[in-house]
């Protein structure tokens, strides 16, 4: 039997209504306590903490409505890195939040569970070899798919110091090696996501190239996702991830509401 796009969406609608497909929220809370990246002092500027300011809440400033305004950096909380974010991606005209191809944002997601290794070693690095071992068990990573690294780092997100995990030697958090990202790009992935403050490991400034996830993903017009939550609720394969940035004009990134569709039962 050949299934059309219309048939597939009818089935999906049925499955969403019956709970056969569940929507998992892979997003952290965005507010004044959200951990924000703090670059070292040799870079003059940083993203400010999130601010939420009340305009009114059924009061003299608005008798029957509540609304707020926000101070919000593009790269805050659970967020999207667009290719223009990094110098290696600067020439892609479709590399901004308002010009990228939205067809690429909804795709199967491969969840590589590194939670054990990351609990034992805060500087754990996922290598190409590690990805290949994961594929041998779970199946091949396909063209146009998302790949995310599960570290359960979201359990630290209520405590910025624990989330950033910095000492005199800098930040310590798990991430990918350059050869890991090169391998994933050779498979034709759409993007790479992590549960830490950025797509790169805490110690990635010392790698070659520095910040390989940023450098290599955006060089190839691919996307990054950071501070993802609840990856422990996803299967290794079989879920669909929807990760869509706001359509910020010439935006280099954006907070997202990351949603995963998973089969239940
Ligand atoms: C700017 C400079 C370095 C990094 C980052 C931003 C991020 O992690 C980000 O949020 O894209 S490492
Ligand atoms: Mn970012």
């Amino acid at each position: 039997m050949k299934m059309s796009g219309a048939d597939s969406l009818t089935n999906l609608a049925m499955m969403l209504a019956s709970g056969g497909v569940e929507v998992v929220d892979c997003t952290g809370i965005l507010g004044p306590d959200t951990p924000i990246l703090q670059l070292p002092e040799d870079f003059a500027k940083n993203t400010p903490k999130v601010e939420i300011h009340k305009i009114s809440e059924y009061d003299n400033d608005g008798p029957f409505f509540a609304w707020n305004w926000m101070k919000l950096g593009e790269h805050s909380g659970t967020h999207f890195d667009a290719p223009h974010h990094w110098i290696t991606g600067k020439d892609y005209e479709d590399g901004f939040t308002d010009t990228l191809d939205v067809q690429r944002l909804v795709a199967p997601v491969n969840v590589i569970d590194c939670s054990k290794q990351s609990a034992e070693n805060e500087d754990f690095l996922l290598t190409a070899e590690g990805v290949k071992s994961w594929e041998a068990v779970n199946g091949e990573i396909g063209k146009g798919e998302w790949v995310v690294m599960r570290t359960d780092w979201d359990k630290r997100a209520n405590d910025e110091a624990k989330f950033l995990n910095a000492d005199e030697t800098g930040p310590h958090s798990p991430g990918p090696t350059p050869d890991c990202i090169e391998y994933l790009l050779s498979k034709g992935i759409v993007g790479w996501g992590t549960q830490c403050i950025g797509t790169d490991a805490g110690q990635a400034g010392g790698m070659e190239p520095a910040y390989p996830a940023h450098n290599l993903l955006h060089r190839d017009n691919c996307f990054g996702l950071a501070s993802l939550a609840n990856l422990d609720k996803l299967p290794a394969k079989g879920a669909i991830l929807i990760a869509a940035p706001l359509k910020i004009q010439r935006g280099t990134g954006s907070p997202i509401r990351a949603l995963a569709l998973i089969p239940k039962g």
Side-chain angles (χ1 to χ4, degrees):
M1 189 192 71
K2 200 156 176 281
M3 214 193 291
S4 68
D7 291 339
S8 301
L9 286 181
T10 300
N11 274 331
L12 176 59
M14 247 163 42
M15 282 299 142
L16 286 165
S18 69
V21 170
E22 196 180 347
V23 181
V24 174
D25 191 355
C26 297
T27 321
I29 291 179
L30 192 60
D33 299 327
T34 299
I36 299 291
L37 177 73
Q38 288 155 21
L39 289 178
E41 277 142 36
D42 32 321
F43 303 96
K45 289 192 180 177
N46 265 301
T47 296
K49 296 289 282 182
V50 175
E51 294 178 17
I52 305 178
H53 298 272
K54 189 195 310 195
I55 304 173
S56 77
E57 194 172 13
Y58 332 121
D59 50 27
N60 280 340
D61 296 322
F64 39 86
F65 40 88
W67 54 352
N68 306 313
W69 68 272
M70 294 179 73
K71 185 163 167 178
L72 179 64
E74 292 176 324
H75 298 257
S76 301
T78 304
H79 76 271
F80 186 98
D81 287 351
H84 195 77
H85 177 43
W86 217 254
I87 189 167
T88 49
K90 68 183 173 53
D91 293 329
Y92 291 112
E93 203 33 59
D94 59 350
F96 298 88
T97 47
D98 59 337
T99 59
L100 56 78
D101 176 10
V102 296
Q103 185 85 24
R104 300 172 69 201
L105 303 179
V106 182
V109 60
N110 301 272
V111 182
I112 303 184
D113 184 2
C114 305
S115 57
K116 255 215 189 91
Q117 300 93 315
S118 304
E120 285 162 12
N121 174 12
E122 294 166 332
D123 291 307
F124 172 74
L125 298 178
L126 179 63
T127 61
E129 231 21 76
V131 174
K132 288 173 194 167
S133 316
W134 181 91
E135 285 183 301
V137 176
N138 298 284
E140 218 181 312
I141 291 165
K143 190 168 149 56
E145 298 183 350
W146 291 107
V147 179
V148 297
M149 180 182 186
R150 175 184 160 196
T151 54
D152 293 345
W153 217 252
D154 55 334
K155 310 296 185 256
R156 301 170 176 240
N158 57 354
D159 181 339
E160 184 174 67
K162 274 185 78 182
F163 195 80
L164 300 177
N165 200 39
D167 63 17
E168 324 75 63
T169 63
H172 295 275
S173 55
T177 60
D179 82 310
C180 172
I181 298 294
E182 286 286 16
Y183 176 67
L184 294 173
L185 289 168
S186 79
K187 308 289 282 193
I189 64 162
V190 66
W192 156 263
T194 70
Q195 301 197 266
C196 299
I197 197 73
T199 54
D200 270 298
Q203 292 292 300
M207 294 179 186
E208 184 48 50
Y211 304 106
H214 286 84
N215 182 300
L216 304 170
L217 284 169
H218 304 326
R219 174 199 72 189
D220 286 7
N221 204 10
C222 289
F223 307 137
L225 304 174
S227 298
L228 291 167
N230 295 324
L231 297 185
D232 53 320
K233 298 188 171 65
L234 306 189
K237 267 186 173 284
I240 297 223
L241 180 64
I242 304 166
L246 298 178
K247 203 165 178 173
I248 298 169
Q249 189 175 0
R250 303 287 281 181
T252 72
S254 159
I256 55 172
R257 189 68 180 256
L259 301 176
L261 306 184
I262 66 165
K264 201 162 181 207

